[in-house]
Amino acid sequence: MTKSRKPLGKYRRIVIKIGSALLVDRAAGLKKAWLDALSADIAALRAGGTEVLVVSSGAIALGRSVLKVPSGALKLEESQAAAAVGQIALARAWSESLSADGIVAGQILLTLGDTEERRRYLNARATISQLLKLGAVPIINENDTVATTEIRYGDNDRLAARVATMTGADLLVLLSDIDGLYTAPPHLDPSARFLETIDAITPEIEAMAGGAASELSRGGMRTKIDAGKIATGAGCAMIIASGKIDRPLSAIENGARSSWFAPSGSPVTARKTWIAGQLQPAGRLEIDAGAESALSSGKSLLPAGVRAVSGTFSRGDTVSIIGTGGREIARGLVGYDADEARLIAGKKSAEIAEILGYAGRAAMVHRDDLVVTGRAATAEKDVAHA
């Protein structure tokens, strides 16, 4: 896999994420001229053979505009009502705009569970794949009419990354009100340096993420970096670029400033991509140095290497594996319920039967159900065992 930047038209499948502030003006409503210009960009990509998916924010903001809801924080039921009206308006806007270029739009509304629960994940992927096969452009958004704080993404950056990995896209483009990644928030620090190429998302890169820059947008640079970790880990490149100008995709092609995140040189398999991208691990396993070394060489996590267990989880749930440095280094599907995991943590596999009263699995997390996510380890051997 090449890790060098290439023209957008050279990618096979691109996911484009649109921020609310780009699409909706708080006073005037939908920015139709901007949307039409972006649709022309999408049509040009498709004419060159590139498949395009859109993750579009804006339902709540557009619904507020249609309903003439005053500015300020919304209660949950108010935001859901705004989304109910806004989703219809947003879908109509995309349909009308893309149809000018002879393109059919298909709306897909997702909740967190649709990408976190394996069966629903596969179903959503199949639907999106069929839309692409039929030549339509999927317009995807979080289903804000039913999602609550506990069961939502809360931002479309990470949703877009999950869609990109779900559909096997090779590029994710995040269009925002900032033109890329800086060493510090540029509106706060005039000396902040722009970063054009990011070869890997290190802790130093993560530390550069600032807060949200717009009232209409729920996401900030933090969520964009989270999205980058999900996407690049699955072998998908990512670009952060400004969408404030007309035809922003053409602008990227013509050399407009943007930050490019290189895809991982060792993308994980589809099943492990799903595991790695889980946004809400059900628990944590803290491990010792010996176990950390074993994971980095592609081995399973045994109970003996687990120092502490936290969270409430069941067998088969995704857990976060924490290394000696206090950072997450891997994720996996745990082989035991939380109470059982606590009982056998730090114990040898041969002792499991005596402790639990039955012969359980030798591994706390089997290597086939585990993906290394930390910077200190590599996933090459892990992938070889998939």
Side-chain angles (χ1 to χ4, degrees):
M1 172 184 296
T2 179
K3 292 188 70 173
S4 60
R5 188 165 181 163
K6 58 186 180 181
L8 298 187
K10 296 296 184 180
Y11 288 93
R12 177 183 57 86
R13 181 175 292 171
I14 299 177
V15 174
I16 302 166
K17 182 264 177 177
I18 316 297
S20 295
L22 300 178
L23 194 58
V24 183
D25 182 88
R26 186 172 55 187
L30 179 74
K31 299 178 182 178
K32 188 177 185 305
W34 182 90
L35 178 58
D36 289 344
L38 178 65
S39 294
D41 272 352
I42 292 173
L45 283 172
R46 281 170 45 88
T50 299
E51 293 180 327
V52 178
L53 303 87
V54 175
V55 175
S56 177
S57 303
I60 293 176
L62 190 55
R64 290 185 69 148
S65 175
V66 172
L67 293 170
K68 303 189 186 307
V69 176
S71 61
L74 295 178
K75 297 177 182 177
L76 175 61
E77 61 270 23
E78 291 174 331
S79 65
Q80 291 178 326
V85 173
Q87 282 170 357
I88 293 175
L90 186 63
R92 182 174 64 246
W94 274 107
S95 180
E96 292 176 351
S97 187
L98 288 170
S99 67
D101 293 292
I103 299 172
V104 174
Q107 184 188 49
I108 295 181
L109 300 175
L110 298 175
T111 61
L112 185 64
D114 293 320
T115 60
E116 302 299 278
E117 296 178 21
R118 182 66 172 170
R119 181 175 296 181
R120 291 162 66 183
Y121 169 94
L122 294 173
N123 182 59
R125 185 174 68 179
T127 302
I128 294 171
S129 297
Q130 186 63 24
L131 280 172
L132 293 171
K133 183 178 179 181
L134 294 172
V137 170
I139 307 298
I140 302 162
N141 194 6
E142 183 163 19
N143 193 350
D144 289 309
T145 61
V146 297
T148 61
T149 302
E150 295 78 16
I151 57 169
R152 72 175 307 132
Y153 282 93
D155 67 87
N156 271 355
D157 294 322
R158 293 181 298 173
L159 173 59
R162 287 296 263 156
V163 168
T165 61
M166 175 193 298
T167 59
D170 46 356
L171 177 65
L172 168 62
V173 178
L174 302 181
L175 294 180
S176 183
D177 44 14
I178 191 168
D179 55 7
L181 178 65
Y182 291 77
T183 55
H187 61 290
L188 299 177
D189 185 353
S191 66
R193 290 185 298 105
F194 174 77
L195 301 178
E196 183 175 3
T197 300
I198 296 88
D199 292 321
I201 298 178
T202 63
E204 291 75 23
I205 293 295
E206 293 185 62
M208 295 174 187
S214 166
E215 177 186 340
L216 291 177
S217 173
R218 285 194 298 251
M221 192 55 67
R222 170 74 267 164
T223 62
K224 290 173 176 54
I225 296 301
D226 288 343
K229 292 170 66 177
I230 295 169
T232 59
C236 177
M238 187 178 83
I239 290 174
I240 299 175
S242 173
K244 288 183 175 181
I245 57 177
D246 286 346
R247 304 201 66 165
L249 301 180
S250 295
I252 294 172
E253 289 288 70
N254 293 328
R257 174 179 281 191
S258 61
S259 292
W260 183 78
F261 293 72
S264 167
S266 302
V268 294
T269 62
R271 182 166 181 270
K272 294 193 175 187
T273 295
W274 174 74
I275 295 171
Q278 290 269 303
L279 299 183
Q280 294 181 333
R284 289 162 50 104
L285 305 179
E286 297 177 28
I287 65 174
D288 59 27
E292 187 168 347
S293 177
L295 295 192
S296 68
S297 62
K299 297 180 180 178
S300 299
L301 174 61
L302 303 180
V306 178
R307 296 189 294 112
V309 177
S310 59
T312 302
F313 52 83
S314 300
R315 176 181 171 181
D317 284 348
T318 300
V319 294
S320 178
I321 300 172
I322 310 301
T324 54
R327 293 177 52 82
E328 177 185 293
I329 62 165
R331 289 189 181 185
L333 305 182
V334 68
Y336 290 93
D337 293 345
D339 290 342
E340 294 176 329
R342 290 186 179 92
L343 290 174
I344 63 174
K347 308 296 184 182
K348 295 181 179 179
S349 297
E351 301 177 70
I352 293 176
E354 182 178 349
I355 295 172
L356 299 181
Y358 71 94
R361 295 185 174 190
M364 185 79 81
V365 179
H366 193 274
R367 67 189 183 191
D368 290 345
D369 297 326
L370 185 146
V371 57
V372 176
T373 59
R375 66 179 296 212
T378 59
E380 286 86 350
K381 294 184 180 180
D382 185 47
V383 171
H385 291 295

